[in-house]
Amino acid sequence: MMIKWLGAALILTGCGGVGFRMAGEIRQQEKLLSQLIRILHFLEAELQYRLTALPELCRLASKESSGLLRELFQKLSVRISLLEQEDAAACMDIVLQAYPTLPGSVRKNLRHLGRSLGRFDLPGQLQGLRAVRSACQTELSRLRKNAEVRQKSYQTLAICAGTSLVILFA
């Protein structure tokens, strides 16, 4: 009988954990997109007023960010400085390979950023940064719409699924 209770607890914990993880991924994606928007504002100001070189720009962006994006921009800065013959898009793609768990919308916007950095003249780069920022803001608005309801739904659904499995196996 004790093994059944232990099994039931493990099933409930496992299913509940999946739901809470899904809700956490939504919060993480929101956080990363918000941080990326701030970084894009910073990059735009740096380019517009100081005409900062691309490796230095990425290094400064890493200082303006935290966590995953800080690490990513540090690696991008090193990659661009070491391999000057490659363009920023290729460097960004290489760096993004090291982050397979990065949410899809953040990855897509970072790739778009890589395609616009260092490729055009100043007005073109600024326009590219604004386009990426606009895409990030649109995605963030979409995520925030009913986000709390979706997060609670994921959690509730996971716990209900776990309870159903416990009842089914009992």
Side-chain angles (χ1 to χ4, degrees):
M1 187 63 156
M2 186 64 146
I3 291 177
K4 279 188 176 184
W5 284 107
L6 181 62
L10 288 174
I11 289 172
L12 279 174
T13 303
C15 288
V18 168
F20 282 89
R21 181 175 177 183
M22 289 171 68
E25 287 174 358
I26 291 173
R27 284 189 293 276
Q28 181 197 24
Q29 190 172 2
E30 283 182 32
K31 179 182 168 189
L32 288 171
L33 282 169
S34 296
Q35 196 176 119
L36 186 55
I37 290 169
R38 284 192 313 274
I39 291 169
L40 291 168
H41 274 291
F42 173 78
L43 292 176
E44 186 177 340
E46 275 293 315
L47 275 176
Q48 192 168 10
Y49 299 111
R50 292 185 52 205
L51 294 172
T52 309
L54 193 53
E56 179 68 12
L57 191 66
C58 292
R59 190 183 64 74
L60 291 171
S62 74
K63 288 184 177 182
E64 289 294 317
S65 56
S66 63
L68 193 64
L69 289 180
R70 172 179 287 227
E71 190 179 307
L72 188 138
F73 277 102
Q74 284 173 343
K75 288 182 179 181
L76 182 62
S77 174
V78 169
R79 185 82 188 169
I80 290 172
S81 358
L82 292 177
L83 300 171
E84 293 177 3
Q85 72 272 14
E86 288 188 52
D87 63 345
C91 291
M92 181 66 84
D93 287 340
I94 291 168
V95 169
L96 285 174
Q97 289 176 0
Y99 299 94
T101 60
L102 198 64
S105 63
V106 177
R107 179 181 299 279
K108 179 183 73 168
N109 285 308
L110 284 169
R111 276 201 176 109
H112 190 234
L113 174 65
R115 285 194 305 269
S116 65
L117 282 178
R119 193 166 187 196
F120 305 108
D121 60 349
L122 180 61
Q125 286 188 51
L126 292 174
Q127 184 178 0
L129 287 173
R130 288 183 195 113
V132 174
R133 189 176 71 225
S134 175
C136 287
Q137 288 170 332
T138 302
E139 183 66 26
L140 186 59
S141 295
R142 186 192 66 76
L143 271 176
R144 285 184 174 162
K145 187 176 182 181
N146 299 324
E148 191 174 320
V149 173
R150 278 187 293 135
Q151 290 170 0
K152 287 182 181 179
S153 295
Y154 288 148
Q155 294 166 349
T156 304
L157 185 62
I159 290 172
C160 290
T163 304
S164 299
L165 285 173
V166 168
I167 291 170
L168 187 66
F169 291 138

